Amino acid sequence: MYRCEYESYDHDLPTASVIIIFTNEIWSALLRTIHSVVNRTPPHLLHEIVLVDDFSEKDELKYALKKYIDKHFKPGLIKLIRFNERKGLIRARLAGAELATGDVLVFLDSHCEANIKWVEPLLQRIKEERTAVVCPIIDVIDDKTFEYYATNLEYFQIGGFTWNGHFTWIEISDAEDKRRKSEVAPTRTPTMAGGLFAIDRKYFWEIGSYDSGMEIWGGENLEMSFRVWMCGGTLEIIPCSHVGHVFRSFHPYKFPGNKDTHGINTVRTVEVWMDDYKKYFYYQRPDLLDTSYGDITERLELKKKLKCKSFQWYLDTIYPEKFIFDKGVLAYGNLKNPMTMLCLDTLNRDEDKSEPIGYFHCKPNSDLVINQEAVAGFYLLSYTEKKELRIEENCAEINDDFDLHSELPVIMTKCHGGENQKWIHKMGGEIKHEKSGMCLDAGKKRSGDDAVVRKCYGGHFQIWWFENYVHPHIEVKDDNYDEKLNILH
């Protein structure tokens, strides 16, 4: 971060209202967040901290917290409001924003640590461009030791999304790297992680704040990302602003009624903002086709009022490198071995890590019935014109240490265009790893096992069919494909 030490910022910057939502947060984590903001924000820039208690049940977060605030911080600096029922992150943030009176709203999670000179770069950028929605680089705080790990300024990632409606980290494109000219310059990002960002307070309301029809948590970050870009704003990561964040492997609270609020909220997002591209979401999440997502009339009217651009514009202009599973490919859909009726599947493994792909039964999900028809459990794998076996940003590869007398696992890792990610396949034939000459094999495997390659021998266990094959003048589909398409539309 040495480059950031030489950056200078105006003394006369907009003031910040820092909004922190918490529900049953760990006492020490919450206080670490508050103290780091107070200690590392110039007093003339910190207008207030707005704490919103979303119906915590822990005793220490009630009277003891109020007493601690009164004792350790100057009067009026910290505003604490409490809900007597669970509202959820989205509505709690709206309540905090309504109470705030600073020039800029800065949203933080309740398990963070603001770093040195964290807020000045954010406020400087918003002073320069009030329609810029800006995010710090999010450093990692270990969830077991609470140690802070700073991100290398020379290598950080920006936000993308998957067609099943999740945020993901992606590399900075060559075009963006060239546009920004400096590693400390504001870096455009197609989406934001959602928990940590700053926005001009008046612009927050002008651009549509949050979708109040969303419940509890989930999907709000993509909704705001699409909306900001499509409706005239910009979304940027500010490399010299760093905030540490505890990345937990669990949710510390329950979702009322065990609702899939992330799924429901994401349906609202795709129905409002993704235009015809929503079909790609429903390919991945056919289970959400009949979801009751509430009234979106107000959001559609907002879209019209703000004269927002199309999702096609967003993909073409903001995220041109986004992979679309049926574009620039030779085949796509389920990849099946007819002998075993096994398909390749990620088995719900972490798409942000290098993990083996596996096998799963190629069966319609009998529990999922839409319009009185069973819908197949789509798992979309693409065979691209670059000879990749690809799912979103990940491509299949095997280890360089080839041993033709043993089996090797097939790993899904970030696509890089290397020789180790090239495969050879013709319709109804083998899937051969070009560099090693080994073939994808389903012999003696069961659903849930890791996928492997073995020495090619031309047997039935090494024969694979994609659901769809695309040729220059003809497309070959399975017999039921049109019916599935009709259901999804």
Side-chain angles (χ1 to χ4, degrees):
M1 293 173 59
Y2 74 95
R3 284 285 306 276
C4 294
E5 295 177 10
Y6 300 100
E7 293 293 302
S8 60
Y9 308 100
D10 297 344
H11 178 79
D12 182 21
L13 290 173
T15 59
S17 289
V18 180
I19 300 170
I20 301 169
I21 313 302
F22 66 95
T23 299
N24 292 331
E25 184 58 86
I26 297 170
W27 172 266
S28 60
L30 179 60
L31 291 186
R32 179 182 189 175
T33 306
I34 297 170
H35 276 287
S36 69
V37 169
V38 173
N39 294 340
R40 290 173 173 167
T41 306
H44 73 286
L45 299 180
L46 183 58
H47 183 72
E48 64 195 351
I49 295 176
V50 180
L51 292 179
V52 183
D53 180 1
D54 189 16
F55 198 46
S56 294
E57 298 167 334
K58 291 184 176 182
D59 289 337
E60 66 267 27
L61 295 177
K62 297 177 182 178
Y63 175 71
L65 177 61
K66 180 65 168 61
K67 184 177 179 182
Y68 187 94
I69 290 170
D70 291 342
K71 180 178 179 181
H72 291 90
F73 302 101
K74 69 178 184 180
L77 179 63
I78 297 180
K79 299 176 181 177
L80 174 62
I81 59 175
R82 301 184 189 275
F83 294 148
N84 56 14
E85 63 178 359
R86 183 75 189 287
K87 299 287 189 181
L89 174 71
I90 298 164
R91 293 171 189 173
R93 283 190 164 184
L94 280 171
E98 288 171 352
L99 185 65
T101 55
D103 299 322
V104 171
L105 306 178
V106 183
F107 293 94
L108 295 181
D109 286 340
S110 56
H111 34 274
C112 290
E113 180 182 330
N115 212 314
I116 297 168
K117 282 193 175 181
W118 73 285
V119 80
E120 292 95 317
L122 303 177
L123 300 178
Q124 181 73 48
R125 179 59 182 148
I126 290 174
K127 179 181 179 180
E128 295 167 356
E129 179 51 73
R130 71 179 293 269
T131 61
V133 180
V134 294
C135 308
I137 286 183
I138 304 175
D139 295 330
V140 174
I141 298 175
D142 189 281
D143 65 343
K144 296 179 177 61
T145 66
F146 282 82
E147 185 177 357
Y148 190 112
Y149 296 95
T151 301
N152 188 334
L153 186 63
E154 295 178 358
Y155 176 75
F156 65 92
Q157 293 179 303
I158 58 177
F161 71 92
T162 61
W163 288 113
N164 62 6
H166 288 275
F167 172 86
T168 189
W169 295 106
I170 62 172
E171 305 298 324
I172 300 171
S173 69
D174 291 340
E176 177 58 18
D177 206 32
K178 185 176 181 180
R179 186 203 65 82
R180 65 183 185 140
K181 298 180 181 179
S182 165
E183 62 187 13
V184 299
T187 304
R188 292 182 176 182
T189 178
T191 67
M192 63 174 171
L196 288 62
F197 70 97
I199 183 171
D200 178 274
R201 179 170 58 86
K202 293 180 180 178
Y203 185 62
F204 175 75
W205 299 109
E206 289 170 18
I207 198 69
S209 63
Y210 279 113
D211 178 358
S212 61
M214 289 187 171
E215 296 187 60
I216 307 298
W217 171 91
E220 77 285 347
N221 57 324
L222 295 189
E223 193 275 342
M224 180 169 283
S225 300
F226 298 156
R227 174 163 43 86
V228 166
W229 276 121
M230 292 165 63
C231 303
T234 62
L235 191 59
E236 302 169 346
I237 291 176
I238 308 300
C240 287
S241 174
H242 283 246
V243 176
H245 182 274
V246 180
F247 289 92
R248 299 179 292 204
S249 58
F250 64 95
H251 284 290
Y253 42 77
K254 296 179 180 178
F255 293 90
N258 290 320
K259 277 187 177 181
D260 176 13
T261 60
H262 184 283
I264 296 169
N265 292 346
T266 305
V267 169
R268 288 182 66 89
T269 298
V270 302
E271 289 291 338
V272 173
W273 298 105
M274 288 180 66
D275 304 330
D276 292 341
Y277 281 89
K278 67 184 179 182
K279 71 179 182 181
Y280 292 99
F281 170 74
Y282 288 122
Y283 269 118
Q284 297 277 16
R285 294 297 307 271
D287 55 305
L288 293 174
L289 272 165
D290 283 344
T291 295
S292 176
Y293 53 84
D295 187 358
I296 59 172
T297 304
E298 182 182 344
R299 302 308 282 182
L300 292 172
E301 289 176 351
L302 173 72
K303 183 178 179 181
K304 185 177 180 180
K305 174 187 173 184
L306 296 176
K307 298 179 180 178
C308 302
K309 296 181 173 69
S310 68
F311 200 74
Q312 182 69 62
W313 173 90
Y314 170 82
L315 290 176
D316 291 343
T317 309
I318 307 305
Y319 202 175
E321 62 276 11
K322 176 60 184 169
F323 179 69
I324 302 173
F325 63 80
D326 60 353
K327 308 295 183 186
V329 302
L330 302 174
Y332 65 94
N334 285 340
L335 178 59
K336 177 169 62 178
N337 172 249
M339 187 70 178
T340 60
M341 292 301 290
L342 291 175
C343 284
L344 286 198
D345 195 289
T346 62
L347 304 177
N348 291 321
R349 289 167 177 166
D350 191 341
E351 59 203 18
D352 286 327
K353 297 179 181 178
S354 295
E355 299 270 12
I357 196 169
Y359 305 107
F360 200 76
H361 286 303
C362 304
K363 291 182 178 179
N365 185 347
S366 59
D367 295 327
L368 177 60
V369 178
I370 300 173
N371 296 335
Q372 300 180 337
E373 296 288 344
V375 176
F378 286 93
Y379 205 86
L380 292 165
L381 188 75
S382 299
Y383 181 51
T384 73
E385 293 173 351
K386 298 178 180 179
K387 299 183 181 179
E388 302 160 320
L389 289 177
R390 180 164 180 164
I391 300 171
E392 298 276 0
E393 304 304 318
N394 293 338
C395 289
E397 67 176 41
I398 63 173
N399 193 291
D400 276 327
D401 186 18
F402 306 133
D403 181 356
L404 297 179
H405 299 289
S406 64
E407 63 181 39
L408 294 173
V410 180
I411 307 297
M412 296 302 295
T413 190
K414 293 298 180 184
C415 300
H416 52 66
E419 293 300 312
N420 215 19
Q421 292 187 346
K422 295 189 184 300
W423 300 78
I424 300 171
H425 174 65
K426 291 183 179 180
M427 186 167 61
E430 300 166 327
I431 303 275
K432 181 185 289 187
H433 186 250
E434 189 171 67
K435 189 173 181 181
S436 68
M438 301 175 78
C439 288
L440 185 66
D441 191 292
K444 298 181 181 178
K445 296 297 181 181
R446 292 182 289 186
S447 183
D449 288 347
D450 290 346
V452 299
V453 291
R454 292 194 180 100
K455 185 177 180 179
C456 298
Y457 59 84
H460 291 299
F461 293 119
Q462 293 187 346
I463 298 299
W464 296 88
W465 285 84
F466 274 96
E467 191 171 27
N468 310 284
Y469 286 87
V470 181
H471 298 282
H473 304 293
I474 186 170
E475 183 173 20
V476 181
K477 302 176 181 177
D478 75 356
D479 292 337
N480 297 320
Y481 188 70
D482 286 331
E483 182 180 353
K484 294 171 186 173
L485 270 183
N486 288 334
I487 293 170
L488 287 170
H489 287 295

